[in-house]
Every structure is written in structure tokens, then in C-alpha cells.
């Protein structure tokens, strides 16, 4: 239901508790009930079409929001902010964040209704580039950039930038092919640079082209050429 944009997971949970969902004529008691390919799902007595189109949204994440389900302490989650700004026709999908950005990081974050897009973009084997720009607390020198490209040791092994370019006295651009936890911050710390601000400008061939807090839907062609993800025909959720 979430993939097909009919009910978000929370809405599904509430609908199940209220006995509004049937599968093959039987009222469902668990929102994780398994479906067969030919199962008929009804909501309020009406059969719901479960075919879905793969959708991807680009979002300019502001600083302060967390990429997690809940945020009891801070400014809220990116999901709260996204759902609030979506029109009715996009509000009932189960949106998955494609990878994570730290609370303080700004920039391009993708959302999708299809977990396979998440797997594709985040798998190291896909070799999809992520371009970051970091403002540092110290002056960046060519030796820093060289070390980041040669490889530095962080707690979970060696990490290497595929390119590193000095943009200003205290600003460096890094392109990474993977996305380990806090990777940019840890790599810069490994060469004794501290991160004052971190921003993601691009994922694969997709450049951030939105004001802070705004989102837009990507075209099929952007998903194909920007993310290297081949679209299949619409599927059944
Ligand atoms: N690397 C980090 O350290 N933080 C991010 O948010 C993204 C990449």
C-alpha cells in the first residue's frame, strides 16, 4: 500500500486496527500480512490497484533535521518536513530516504517509494559518485587533498576520495564512491581538518538545483541517466 501510494505505514497500521483492510475477502489483523502475486486487497470494501510507478524525489535538506523515523529531541525529521510539503497525490506513499545525511549536513537527499532504488544508490558496488563540499576550521593545503585521494585510515578501514579539490582557503570538494557513516567528517579528521559545514551538491549525475527545503520529482530520464537505474515497466506493489 505504501509503494503504491495508497496509505503510509502509519495510515496502514491504523486502517488494519480499524478492520478496514481485507486480503482475499478476509479482514487483515497484521499490517505485515504476506500477499501472493494474485491476492486481492480491499480498503473499505473497494479493491485497491497495487501497481505502482517507481518515483524518486530530490530534496534540499536543511541543517537541523535528522534522517530517521523519529526525533524526540531536535528540530524534527526530514520525513516530517517532506510529508508536510507534499501535495495530496504524493502524501500517501511510503517514502524511503536514499542513504543518510547527518543532522548538520545540508544538500541533496533523495527519497523513493521503491527500496530497490535505495539498494542501487547506496551499494558500494554501484560506484555512484557523491560530491560534497566541506568548509573546514583550518586552511586546506594540497597535501591534505593528496592524502585524501591516496587513502586515509578511519576506524572501519581505509577510505579514499576519488577526487579532492581545494575550492577556497578553507573549503574542499570531495567526491566519494561510497557512503559510510560520517565518512567525510572522519576522512577530514584523519588529515587533521575539522568540518565546520558540510553540503552535498550531487549524487551521480544529479546536481542539486533546489532552494533549501524544496523538493521536486525526478523524471524517468533523470532516474535512468542520473542514477544509472534502469526503469522497468510498472510493477505490482
Ligand atoms: N559524510 C559525513 O560525514 N556526513 C554526511 O552527512 C555525509 C557524508
Amino acid at each position: 500500500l505504501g509503494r503504491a501510494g495508497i496509505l503510509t505505514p502509519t495510515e496502514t497500521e491504523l486502517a488494519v486496527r480499524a478492520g478496514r483492510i481485507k486480503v482475499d475477502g478476509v479482514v487483515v489483523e497484521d499490517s505485515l500480512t504476506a500477499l501472493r502475486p494474485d491476492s486481492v486487497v480491499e480498503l473499505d470494501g473497494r479493491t485497491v490497484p497495487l501497481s505502482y510507478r517507481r518515483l524518486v524525489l530530490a530534496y534540499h535538506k536543511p541543517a537541523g533535521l535528522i534522517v530517521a523515523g523519529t526525533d524526540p529531541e531536535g528540530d524534527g525529521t526530514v520525513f516530517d518536513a517532506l510529508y508536510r510539503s507534499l501535495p495530496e497525490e504524493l502524501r500517501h506513499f511510503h517514502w524511503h530516504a536514499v542513504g543518510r545525511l547527518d543532522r548538520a549536513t545540508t544538500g541533496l537527499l533523495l527519497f523513493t517509494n521503491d527500496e530497490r532504488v535505495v539498494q542501487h544508490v547506496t551499494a558500494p558496488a554501484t560506484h555512484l559518485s557523491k560530491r560534497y563540499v566541506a568548509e573546514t576550521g583550518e586552511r586546506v593545503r594540497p597535501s591534505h587533498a593528496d592524502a585524501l585521494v591516496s587513502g586515509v585510515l578511519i576506524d572501519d578501514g581505509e577510505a579514499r576520495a576519488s577526487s579532492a579539490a581545494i575550492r577556497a582557503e578553507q573549503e574542499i570538494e570531495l567526491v566519494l564512491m561510497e557512503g559510510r557513516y560520517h565518512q567525510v567528517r572522519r576522512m577530514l579528521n584523519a588529515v587533521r581538518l575539522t568540518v565546520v559545514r558540510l553540503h552535498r551538491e550531487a549524487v551521480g549525475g544529479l546536481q542539486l538545483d533546489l532552494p533549501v527545503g524544496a523538493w521536486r520529482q525526478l523524471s524517468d530520464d533523470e532516474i535512468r541517466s542520473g542514477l544509472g537505474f534502469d526503469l522497468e515497466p510498472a510493477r505490482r506493489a
Side-chain angles (χ1 to χ4, degrees):
L1 292 166
R3 275 187 211 131
I6 311 246
L7 295 177
T8 65
T10 309
E11 291 168 337
T12 301
E13 205 57 63
L14 292 174
V16 166
R17 273 192 236 156
R20 294 169 57 204
I21 301 179
K22 282 185 189 165
V23 171
D24 298 328
V26 179
V27 174
V28 164
E29 288 177 0
D30 178 354
S31 63
L32 294 179
T33 298
L35 301 182
R36 288 190 319 273
D38 60 349
S39 294
V40 174
V41 179
E42 286 169 76
L43 173 64
D44 297 330
R46 273 193 300 273
T47 303
V48 288
L50 292 183
S51 62
Y52 73 103
R53 217 161 72 79
R54 174 171 305 135
L55 301 175
V56 180
L57 306 179
Y59 172 66
H60 188 157
K61 179 192 173 297
L65 301 184
I66 191 171
V67 186
T70 56
D71 184 22
E73 285 155 30
D75 297 348
T77 76
V78 291
F79 299 100
D80 299 334
L82 180 76
Y83 277 101
R84 264 199 308 272
S85 65
L86 289 174
E88 180 60 21
E89 67 271 19
L90 293 177
R91 203 173 291 152
H92 302 282
F93 283 92
H94 182 181
W95 292 109
H96 302 269
V98 182
R100 278 164 192 269
L101 291 177
D102 300 335
R103 189 193 286 277
T105 304
T106 57
L108 180 58
L109 179 66
L110 303 173
F111 292 94
T112 180
N113 62 333
D114 189 334
E115 299 94 319
R116 285 167 304 175
V117 174
V118 180
Q119 279 154 18
H120 169 80
V121 173
T122 55
T126 309
H127 290 298
L128 202 67
S129 63
K130 285 103 187 166
R131 190 171 81 234
Y132 296 91
V133 56
E135 189 185 317
T136 56
E138 303 75 21
R139 186 184 181 137
V140 186
R141 299 179 187 285
S143 57
H144 290 126
D146 293 345
L148 291 160
V149 172
S150 306
V152 294
L153 202 56
I154 54 178
D155 354 339
D156 51 0
E158 195 180 55
R160 216 180 285 256
S162 64
S163 71
I166 299 173
R167 287 228 189 140
E169 214 165 81
Q170 295 189 201
E171 197 173 284
I172 185 165
E173 172 197 301
L174 286 188
V175 176
L176 302 188
M177 292 297 182
E178 49 179 8
R180 290 190 248 158
Y181 178 68
H182 285 336
Q183 186 166 350
V184 172
R185 290 172 204 277
R186 290 191 293 142
M187 287 176 71
L188 291 175
N189 291 345
V191 296
R192 295 182 191 282
L193 290 173
T194 50
V195 174
V196 175
R197 248 194 291 271
L198 184 59
H199 179 76
R200 183 154 73 187
E201 293 184 331
V203 173
L206 300 173
Q207 316 274 339
L208 183 62
D209 55 3
L210 295 160
V212 182
W215 62 270
R216 73 176 180 84
Q217 193 177 329
L218 299 183
S219 67
D220 288 350
D221 190 48
E222 286 177 304
I223 299 173
R224 201 178 292 115
S225 60
L227 298 180
F229 198 95
D230 257 331
L231 295 163
E232 299 151 31
R235 289 178 151 244
R236 220 179 119 83

